[in-house]
Amino acid sequence: MVSMYTIFGRQVGSHHLAIGVLATLFSGTYLSLRGGSKKATQTPPINASTPDEADFIQNFLKQADAEEKKEKH
């Protein structure tokens, strides 16, 4: 037979308590280990005086990122 406990004036079986404890434990572990949402990285605005200068800066940044990725691999 099942052991019964009186909680808040109601009879609760030990198997229900065990299920509740395990569910709380596993859900808490899952929520704490899944990580947060990914934050988008924002680059600072490019303050260029001409569109050519802005294009040059963007191309330079793309090339620098490509070289950095090559070095990591």
Side-chain angles (χ1 to χ4, degrees):
M1 240 7 227
V2 176
S3 298
M4 300 296 279
Y5 296 94
T6 303
I7 300 176
F8 297 117
R10 299 195 63 181
Q11 292 288 322
V12 179
S14 60
H15 60 287
H16 288 293
L17 292 175
I19 291 170
V21 167
L22 290 175
T24 303
L25 177 71
F26 290 127
S27 62
T29 303
Y30 171 75
L31 291 174
S32 65
L33 294 178
R34 69 182 179 147
S37 61
K38 306 237 184 224
K39 296 179 181 175
T41 57
Q42 292 183 350
T43 58
I46 299 173
N47 296 328
S49 58
T50 63
D52 291 334
E53 185 180 0
D55 291 338
F56 173 76
I57 294 171
Q58 289 176 349
N59 289 334
F60 177 78
L61 292 175
K62 287 179 185 177
Q63 288 176 355
D65 287 340
E67 289 175 7
E68 184 177 313
K69 287 181 182 178
K70 285 182 185 178
E71 290 176 3
K72 286 184 181 179
H73 292 290

